[in-house]
Amino acid sequence: MNTNTRKKKRVDQIVRSIFLASTLLSASFIIIIVIFIVMKGITPFITDNDGLGVVNIWTFLTGTVWLQGTAFQSNLYAVGFIIVNTLYIAFLSLLLSLPVGVLTALFIAKIAPKRLAEFLRTIVELLASIPSIVYGLFGSGIILTFVYNLAELFGVQSKGGNSVLATVLVLALMTLPTITAVSEVAIRSVRKDIEEGSLALGATRTQTNFKVVLASAKSGIFAAAILGIGRSLGEATAVSLVAGNAKSGPNLGLFDITTTLTSTMLQGLKETTGVDYDIRFSVGIVLMIVILLTNFILNAVKKRVGNVNVK
Amino acid sequence: MSNKRKAIDIAYQAITYLASSVSLLALSMIVYFVWSNGSGLLNMDLLTKDYHAKYYNGEMVEVGDYSTTLRPSDLDDDIYYSEQYGIGLSDAKDREGNPIILVEYIASDSPMLKLADRNSEDIIALEEGMLISKVAFFDKATALRTFGAEYMVNELDSATDFREIVFTSLGGGIRGSIITTLYLIGMTMAMALPIGVFTAIYLNEFAKKNRITSTLRTLIDTLTGVPSIIYGLMGLAVFVPLTISVTPATSGNLISGSLTLAVILLPVIIKSTEESLKVVPDGLRQASLALGANETQTTFKVVLPSSIPGILTASLLGIGRVIGESAALIFAIGTAVKDDISIFGKSTSLAVHIWSMMTDEPANIELSSTIAIIILMIVLVLNITVKLLSKKFMKPMQ
């Protein structure tokens, strides 16, 4: 080997190790996230919080009032009702966005003329690219007014429209494009021969679309629902603008004000030390666990629902 | 086909039409909403002005140096004109409905253009578009803004001098947030692009197919599912203390914000770059190696240039994400809207500026919508560019 080749080899080695270092760095962030949030988040449960006393983990997870007493003078935090609220809102919003999203996907993939399908696909892409803060702004400008008027129609005085219903509507709008896009891919990947078999047996196009295509795309549609739920659970800023920030609960009435794990974390962040600060990280841990568990359970359900010949 | 079957089919189809119209309706309502609320404020001034109103406290430099300009004939009837001082004032209401006095016109020889600042040695000028909150006199009661423009003009014209005039610049501009957003985009990209591209190259070109590699991949993929508020918590717990200890910063700052955003962008950049690396045919690599190039040369001169469209797409998507991100930045920087921007200090990106105003009492929907229009326009342009790019470049190579 001459010196030139050796030099080249050396450069190769250096460059390769830079690449490897970048990769290790990229991969380490998820570990950093978990370690730091857990470290901060368990502080309220294992230290005496500057004399306030340990936060009881059981009451924290099951309680129905966010904070009894004043901030920084009490250790009586609880997120039990907020967990219920968060899941309740996420599933209600899915109840709206899933049917609409799947039907839109079916329309784009199978029913609409090509031009119209392309146009709608662009619309869905645009909706997906709108940042959540704009949905939040739209929510507090339009949806709050709508909900307020609706509540009045039912003879209920809502707090300026801030409510479960408003939150559900905003989240449904936000998850609609994700669900539509993923469902469309699932519907389009349904094998042609299944469809043709149904048509050959005398079913109409529409019957085939609804009974055969949708059934065959079940697993993909389920995946879309899981993605949608994930986005609902983790969405923060838009929700915080329409939820109304309830201090106790659970809030199950459609016109009641509510709060979610994320909107609670965003509330009144002022100090950077003390239990009122650390507790946000605890809520963060709860949020991550809720998301992981929901994903896990839904994926298990998805497996049981089964695959019908979907690629 | 029976008629009944036909009717049912049509009903089913109608439902899908109805469902599809929801997306269209939603998009048009969002666009209509932000446009109808925000377009009124959309002009160049907004982009270049400060957000916070500045207060001025002035007095006459030289008593007797009055304006000689007569009332201009094109001045509207609802503008009250002070001949002695050469200013035209009108009544208006601010967002909360309080009365304000607006400076509509200033004559070129108005003494108000050269006022002595009572708080410093500077010479300050009243400008058109500013608000006068009060004029205090030596020998009579102060003319407050609540008494109206007509009263103030009459009082001014019947006095030879005044003790002080308090006026404010209107504020409400978003220059600071625009600069912050640009800083964030630049710094985030400078950090995320190299690391992301290098990671993608390593995973696609060098990594062996074994358990360690697939673990690394899983770890990186997991980042995609993390909600942005969790990234924000990480920024608050990791990057804020880190930047405070190594830079002059004393709180959340633009560097800690960019670091947080960089982590958010990493999986996007890695994915997109890898996609485009995958379509580079192996023949190219082998040809380059066979011609005597080493791995480094092959990677940087042969493989990487062919993946430029993918990296470009990733960058554009990344810029869109930086512009739209709010939850993570609320934690990693803070929500204080600033006019003087330093990378070691707090300030808000456009998206956080909206959040900050919407959580204020009362919420400023007009300015929020204006910023939303700007964000939507940028996001739209980015999206169209990405679409065109992928149409042009993302064909598999021959």
Side-chain angles (χ1 to χ4, degrees):
Chain A
M1 253 197 258
N2 58 30
T3 43
N4 195 17
T5 325
R6 207 169 301 145
K7 210 172 136 198
K8 274 187 176 177
K9 276 264 180 266
R10 216 169 140 62
V11 172
D12 271 357
Q13 254 161 17
I14 295 172
V15 169
R16 193 187 265 248
S17 48
I18 293 176
F19 288 167
L20 179 63
S22 299
T23 311
L24 292 178
L25 184 66
S26 304
S28 67
F29 281 119
I30 186 74
I31 301 170
I32 294 176
I33 290 175
V34 171
I35 289 178
F36 271 86
I37 293 179
V38 168
M39 249 169 47
K40 286 252 180 199
I42 58 170
T43 317
F45 305 108
I46 53 170
T47 66
D48 77 338
N49 300 308
D50 303 324
L52 294 175
V54 177
V55 176
N56 184 312
I57 195 154
W58 178 248
T59 48
F60 178 73
L61 288 176
T62 55
T64 57
V65 180
W66 163 238
L67 172 61
Q68 292 179 30
T70 0
F72 299 104
Q73 282 160 39
S74 164
N75 64 347
L76 298 169
Y77 287 90
V79 293
F81 74 104
I82 305 179
I83 299 175
V84 176
N85 281 352
T86 306
L87 288 168
Y88 178 63
I89 286 171
F91 279 96
L92 275 189
S93 76
L94 188 68
L95 217 58
L96 289 178
S97 59
L98 189 65
V100 176
V102 170
L103 288 173
T104 308
L106 184 69
F107 182 73
I108 294 176
K110 295 287 171 195
I111 297 170
K114 214 167 162 222
R115 272 275 177 77
L116 184 57
E118 197 49 52
F119 171 71
L120 271 175
R121 207 172 283 135
T122 314
I123 297 283
V124 171
E125 276 167 18
L126 286 179
L127 272 179
S129 68
I130 294 179
S132 58
I133 187 72
V134 178
Y135 279 103
L137 174 63
F138 175 73
S140 56
I142 294 273
I143 293 179
L144 286 192
T145 324
F146 167 73
V147 171
Y148 183 81
N149 292 333
L150 191 70
E152 237 171 24
L153 213 63
F154 284 95
V156 187
Q157 189 68 33
S158 67
K159 192 189 153 199
N162 288 287
S163 60
V164 172
L165 183 60
T167 315
V168 166
L169 287 173
V170 168
L171 284 177
L173 265 188
M174 293 184 68
T175 47
L176 180 60
T178 317
I179 290 178
T180 308
V182 179
S183 307
E184 198 215 324
V185 173
I187 288 171
R188 273 196 299 163
S189 63
V190 171
R191 272 171 39 200
K192 268 267 166 308
D193 53 355
I194 301 182
E195 254 179 87
E196 279 157 7
S198 157
L199 290 172
L201 286 169
T204 62
R205 263 259 149 236
T206 311
Q207 277 177 313
T208 309
N209 283 340
F210 276 86
K211 302 248 162 77
V212 178
V213 174
L214 280 189
S216 311
K218 208 159 41 177
S219 149
I221 291 170
F222 220 94
I226 295 176
L227 266 178
I229 283 271
R231 187 158 180 202
S232 296
L233 292 173
E235 177 45 49
T237 40
V239 169
S240 73
L241 293 180
V242 294
N245 190 32
K247 297 287 181 209
S248 62
N251 319 95
L252 301 180
L254 283 184
F255 296 120
D256 293 351
I257 55 166
T258 183
T259 187
T260 65
L261 290 168
T262 50
S263 75
T264 306
M265 276 147 87
L266 282 173
Q267 268 310 314
L269 181 69
K270 285 186 184 75
E271 302 296 322
T272 49
T273 49
V275 62
D276 198 62
Y277 168 78
D278 290 334
I279 204 83
R280 284 159 218 283
F281 290 88
S282 318
V283 179
I285 300 178
V286 173
L287 175 66
M288 288 200 287
I289 294 173
V290 166
I291 291 177
L292 278 178
L293 273 183
T294 314
N295 261 321
F296 182 75
I297 294 170
L298 289 180
N299 271 310
V301 175
K302 182 183 153 202
K303 265 198 190 123
R304 298 199 67 182
V305 168
N307 276 350
V308 187
N309 282 319
V310 180
K311 263 193 288 187
Chain B
M1 223 191 304
S2 70
N3 276 340
K4 192 179 161 209
R5 184 70 248 160
K6 228 179 211 164
I8 293 172
D9 278 7
I10 288 172
Y12 270 112
Q13 281 200 18
I15 293 175
T16 65
Y17 272 89
L18 218 62
S20 312
S21 62
V22 171
S23 297
L24 186 59
L25 194 71
L27 186 66
S28 5
M29 271 174 77
I30 291 173
V31 171
Y32 171 76
F33 169 75
V34 295
W35 186 257
S36 63
N37 278 295
S39 60
L41 291 174
L42 196 64
N43 57 40
M44 273 323 273
D45 267 7
L46 172 89
L47 307 183
T48 54
K49 265 194 323 193
D50 283 346
Y51 177 68
H52 294 286
K54 273 211 181 72
Y55 289 81
Y56 298 98
N57 224 321
E59 62 187 355
M60 290 276 276
V61 176
E62 203 176 318
V63 181
D65 181 19
Y66 304 123
S67 164
T68 52
T69 311
L70 294 176
R71 181 190 170 96
S73 51
D74 56 347
L75 229 49
D76 286 345
D77 286 344
D78 56 350
I79 297 174
Y80 302 99
Y81 185 72
S82 156
E83 303 231 322
Q84 194 167 330
Y85 293 93
I87 52 173
L89 307 178
S90 73
D91 290 307
K93 287 229 182 333
D94 68 3
R95 226 165 28 82
E96 282 95 69
N98 301 316
I100 50 174
I101 294 178
L102 196 63
V103 181
E104 298 269 6
Y105 171 82
I106 304 178
S108 55
D109 59 352
S110 166
M112 296 294 188
L113 290 171
K114 288 191 301 288
L115 291 167
D117 192 341
R118 285 166 62 96
N119 302 321
S120 70
E121 302 289 297
D122 298 340
I123 296 290
I124 52 175
L126 186 69
E127 289 167 24
E128 281 170 26
M130 283 182 165
L131 308 177
I132 300 181
S133 25
K134 67 173 184 182
V135 182
F137 300 97
F138 289 105
D139 50 1
K140 56 184 175 182
T142 303
L144 295 171
R145 62 183 173 139
T146 41
F147 299 155
E150 186 176 13
Y151 179 81
M152 188 178 277
V153 165
N154 289 339
E155 290 296 290
L156 271 172
D157 274 349
S158 62
T160 51
D161 190 10
F162 54 83
R163 191 155 54 83
E164 68 165 348
I165 175 168
V166 179
F167 55 99
T168 56
S169 66
L170 201 49
I174 55 169
R175 187 181 56 91
S177 298
I178 291 178
I179 294 175
T180 304
T181 310
L182 294 176
Y183 268 130
L184 286 176
I185 292 173
M187 292 197 292
T188 306
M189 284 309 183
M191 291 184 272
L193 263 189
I195 297 178
V197 171
F198 288 168
T199 303
I201 291 176
Y202 182 82
L203 287 176
N204 199 60
E205 306 284 315
F206 298 116
K208 295 189 183 69
K209 283 208 164 50
N210 56 21
R211 204 184 268 163
I212 299 172
T213 310
S214 72
T215 311
L216 289 176
R217 249 180 226 282
T218 315
L219 287 174
I220 293 170
D221 285 345
T222 315
L223 280 178
T224 332
V226 176
S228 59
I229 192 164
I230 298 290
Y231 284 107
L233 285 183
M234 179 202 56
L236 188 61
V238 182
F239 294 136
V240 172
L242 186 75
T243 46
I244 288 177
S245 66
V246 298
T247 68
T250 55
S251 62
N253 55 76
L254 296 195
I255 303 175
S256 62
S258 312
L259 283 164
T260 311
L261 287 172
V263 180
I264 297 180
L265 293 196
L266 271 180
V268 182
I269 292 175
I270 293 171
K271 261 260 144 56
S272 177
T273 309
E274 248 202 297
E275 292 296 318
S276 62
L277 286 175
K278 270 184 197 145
V279 296
V280 177
D282 261 345
L284 277 184
R285 296 185 183 92
Q286 284 151 8
S288 161
L289 291 171
L291 286 170
N294 61 355
E295 266 179 3
T296 311
Q297 288 168 324
T298 308
T299 305
F300 281 102
K301 302 217 165 129
V302 178
V303 178
L304 208 51
S306 355
S307 66
I308 294 257
I311 297 172
L312 213 57
T313 309
S315 311
L316 294 178
L317 290 175
I319 292 173
R321 184 83 197 254
V322 173
I323 292 172
E325 185 53 62
S326 47
L329 288 180
I330 291 170
F331 284 113
I333 303 182
T335 58
V337 181
K338 289 282 163 66
D339 290 317
D340 301 315
I341 309 302
S342 150
I343 57 168
F344 303 121
K346 286 184 174 186
S347 54
T348 53
S349 73
L350 289 170
V352 181
H353 194 155
I354 295 183
W355 194 80
S356 183
M357 289 192 296
M358 291 306 291
T359 44
D360 257 4
E361 290 287 342
N364 187 345
I365 291 196
E366 291 79 27
L367 188 53
S368 299
S369 303
T370 315
I371 300 179
I373 294 176
I374 296 172
I375 292 179
L376 285 182
M377 284 200 286
I378 299 173
V379 169
L380 185 73
V381 170
L382 286 174
N383 255 30
I384 292 171
T385 319
V386 166
K387 245 190 153 171
L388 292 179
L389 260 181
S390 59
K391 252 199 192 135
K392 197 160 179 197
F393 290 108
M394 280 306 194
K395 291 170 200 146
M397 269 197 238
Q398 296 303 310

